[in-house]
């Protein structure tokens, strides 16, 4: 058997991020993990392990590329904003998502359907959604109008009229003396549309179980470029769970408020026009999102167990109770019968510096990446087999020559090498010993690179020699 030749990984053409760290734990100057680090929270749901906290998602994926977003291709960066609208309204300084009117109406329809399935009457559903989705004042856009109007007024004002005395003269000249306090109060009310509205945690139409979440006053944040007021999401306690109108989520940036591009009809009177003309313009209307969709990080069972067992930076809960390492080992094996075999190989390759990912799309158990999927294409497609040292017993995935040749051809066509990873256990190891992850200490690993022999290529190589 010839010795395999290592081939350099194929780097991707466009790389949009930089490499941070191989693991989501801090390292000291001596490249040794520090003793104190943050332990992240995950939960087991429907035979899957998910992470909800936004900070934990960023750390686990950004440092080691663990898991994937449930709504994204890989990195969990899903957003409901329309890219074309974001580019169109780029001058609008806001952190809120911008969506089309059609997309917003779809969210309203989903919310109505959900309420009807909960037993609400159609009239009550219409009343609830009509009150919940009513337009709100967007301070950013309002501030632009006020700044523009103030600029027009200041353009014709003497510079000596600055300061309190000048402002009094300006008020008298404009005929609005004594109204400045009222205007200020109105602007404050528009900037805080939810304050004192009487909608804080009240039931809608007396319906049982349907809770309208109280919206806190939205903070004012001055923009350094235009000095506009940006409407931001209200903050929530870090470890608390709050139930919204149609969603529940741990702390994080929830798109509760959105900007909807809607067609608004403006009625203008022309000097020469005998009748009124209706001109349709598109504006951004601030509304509450009735049906919010959240991005979570989904971990494979191998990734989740590695973070718990090997790194100790993750704690997995099931029905609000933390699961021990031994319970996780047994639970994951019950959910996925091949878990013990695939995890041993996963642990081995992670320890060697590779980033293993599920290889289902290429018909294998694992794909091995250097640094991560963002930087390189996968180098190896891995088939895993657990055997004893006497090479006896049935294989987990028996191959015929035809199926093996087909799998090898697929791997070559996608610029990957096919690797057979044999996990060799002692023949004296019992099934009871396999009930604990400590059995991995007695496992040996043998890697075999399978390559296709091409007669024409071999003849050309011989001719060159």
């Amino acid at each position: 058997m010839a010795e395999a030749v290592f081939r350099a990984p194929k780097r991707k053409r466009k790389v949009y991020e930089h490499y941070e760290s191989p693991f989501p734990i801090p390292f000291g100057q001596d490249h040794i993990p520090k003793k104190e680090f943050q332990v992240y929270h995950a939960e087991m749901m429907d035979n899957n392990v998910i992470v909800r906290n936004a900070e934990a998602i960023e750390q686990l994926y950004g440092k080691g590329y663990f898991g994937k977003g449930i709504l994204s291709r890989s990195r969990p960066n899903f957003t409901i904003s329309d890219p074309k609208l974001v580019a169109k309204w780029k001058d609008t300084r806001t952190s809120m998502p911008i969506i089309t009117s059609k997309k917003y109406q779809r969210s309203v329809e989903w919310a109505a359907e959900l309420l009807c399935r909960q037993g609400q009457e159609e009239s009550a559903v219409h009343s609830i959604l009509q009150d919940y989705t009513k337009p709100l004042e967007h301070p950013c856009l309002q501030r632009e109008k006020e700044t523009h109007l103030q600029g027009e007024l200041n353009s014709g004002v003497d510079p000596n009229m600055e300061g309190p005395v000048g402002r009094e003269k300006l008020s008298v000249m404009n005929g609005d003396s004594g109204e400045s306090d009222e205007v200020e109060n109105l602007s404050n009310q528009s900037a805080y549309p939810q304050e004192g509205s009487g909608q804080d945690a009240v039931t809608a139409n007396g319906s049982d179980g349907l809770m309208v979440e109280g919206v806190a006053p939205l903070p004012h944040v001055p923009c350094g470029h235009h000095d506009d007021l940006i409407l931001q999401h209200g903050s929530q306690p870090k470890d608390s769970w709050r139930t919204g109108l149609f969603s529940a989520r741990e702390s994080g940036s929830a798109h509760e408020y959105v900007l909807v591009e809607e067609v608004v009809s403006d009625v203008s009177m022309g000097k020469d026009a005998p009748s009124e003309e209706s001109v349709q313009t598109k504006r951004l209307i601030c509304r509450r999102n009735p049906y919010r969709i959240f991005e979570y990080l989904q971990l494979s069972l191998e990734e989740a167990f590695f973070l718990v067992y090997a790194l100790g930076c993750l704690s997995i809960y099931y029905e609000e109770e933390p699961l021990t390492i031994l319970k996780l080992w047994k639970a994951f094996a019950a959910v996925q019968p091949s878990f013990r075999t695939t995890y041993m190989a996963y642990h081995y390759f992670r320890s060697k510096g590779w980033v293993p990912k599920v290889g289902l799309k290429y018909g294998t158990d694992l794909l091995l990446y250097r640094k991560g999927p963002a930087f390189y294409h996968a180098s190896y497609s891995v088939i895993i087999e657990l055997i004893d040292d006497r090479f006896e017993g049935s294989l987990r995935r028996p191959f015929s020559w035809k199926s093996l040749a087909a799998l090898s051809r697929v791997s070559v066509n996608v610029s990957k090498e096919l690797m057979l990873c044999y996990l060799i256990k002692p023949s004296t190891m019992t099934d009871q010993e396999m009930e604990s992850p400590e059995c991995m200490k007695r496992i040996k690993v043998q890697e075999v690179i399978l390559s296709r022999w091409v007669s024409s290529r071999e003849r050309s190589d011989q001719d060159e020699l």
Side-chain angles (χ1 to χ4, degrees), residues 397-408:
R397 186 176 177 179
F399 281 105
S400 64
W401 283 111
K402 184 182 293 186
S403 61
L404 190 60
L407 186 59
S408 176

Side-chain angles (χ1 to χ4, degrees), residues 59 73 118 138 166-167 191 269 292 302 328 341 363 400 432 434 443 445:
Q59 291 295 318
R73 185 175 181 180
Q118 293 177 353
H138 186 209
R167 292 193 189 97
M269 285 289 295
R292 285 174 277 169
E302 292 82 8
L328 286 174
T341 302
S400 64
Q432 187 176 0
M434 295 287 291
I443 300 294
V445 181

Side-chain angles (χ1 to χ4, degrees), residues 213-433:
E213 184 181 19
V215 181
L218 304 176
H220 289 281
V221 178
C223 176
H225 187 66
H226 291 291
D227 196 25
D228 295 331
L229 296 180
I230 302 175
L231 192 65
Q232 290 192 343
H233 305 303
S235 59
Q236 295 180 355
K238 186 173 182 180
D239 297 328
S240 65
W241 292 80
R242 293 183 180 273
T243 304
L245 183 59
F246 305 112
S247 62
R249 179 185 174 153
E250 201 174 357
S251 62
S253 58
H255 293 150
E256 183 179 359
Y257 295 90
V258 294
L259 293 178
V260 186
E261 186 187 57
E262 299 181 2
V263 176
V264 181
S265 298
D266 292 339
V267 178
S268 59
M269 285 289 295
K271 295 181 179 179
D272 301 330
S275 60
E276 296 182 351
E277 293 183 357
S278 178
V279 180
Q280 289 187 342
T281 59
K282 292 184 178 181
R283 296 179 182 176
L284 294 180
I285 307 298
C286 180
R287 297 180 185 271
R288 280 189 288 187
N289 189 3
Y291 196 94
R292 285 174 277 169
I293 303 176
F294 302 110
E295 175 90 286
Y296 299 142
L297 183 72
Q298 181 177 354
L299 299 172
S300 68
L301 301 184
E302 292 82 8
E303 291 172 328
F305 195 81
F306 183 84
L307 291 170
V308 175
Y309 175 73
L311 300 182
C313 64
L314 185 71
S315 180
I316 301 178
Y317 287 75
Y318 179 70
E319 295 182 353
E320 300 183 356
E321 291 186 5
L323 298 177
T324 62
I325 292 177
L326 194 58
K327 286 183 179 180
L328 286 174
W329 181 262
K330 294 180 179 179
F332 288 172
V335 171
Q336 180 180 316
S338 62
F339 165 75
R340 295 170 185 170
T341 302
T342 54
Y343 177 74
M344 291 178 189
Y346 181 94
H347 189 106
Y348 172 77
F349 289 118
R350 267 287 183 180
S351 303
K352 293 291 184 180
W354 293 97
V355 178
K357 289 291 183 180
V358 177
L360 182 62
K361 58 184 176 181
Y362 297 125
T364 58
D365 297 314
L366 293 176
L367 294 175
L368 300 185
Y369 293 86
R370 182 176 184 264
K371 287 189 175 180
F375 306 99
Y376 293 90
H377 294 281
S379 300
Y380 299 98
S381 298
V382 184
I383 297 292
I384 307 168
E385 287 290 350
L386 178 63
I387 58 176
D388 60 15
D389 52 8
R390 293 180 297 185
F391 290 88
E392 295 179 352
S394 60
L395 297 176
R396 185 177 65 89
R397 186 176 177 179
F399 281 105
S400 64
W401 283 111
K402 184 182 293 186
S403 61
L404 190 60
L407 186 59
S408 176
R409 188 64 177 265
V410 170
S411 300
V412 171
N413 288 345
V414 293
S415 302
K416 294 169 180 52
E417 292 187 90
L418 182 61
M419 178 189 295
L420 303 179
C421 178
Y422 291 102
L423 305 172
I424 305 173
K425 67 176 183 178
S427 56
T428 57
M429 181 178 289
T430 62
D431 293 339
Q432 187 176 0
E433 293 181 79

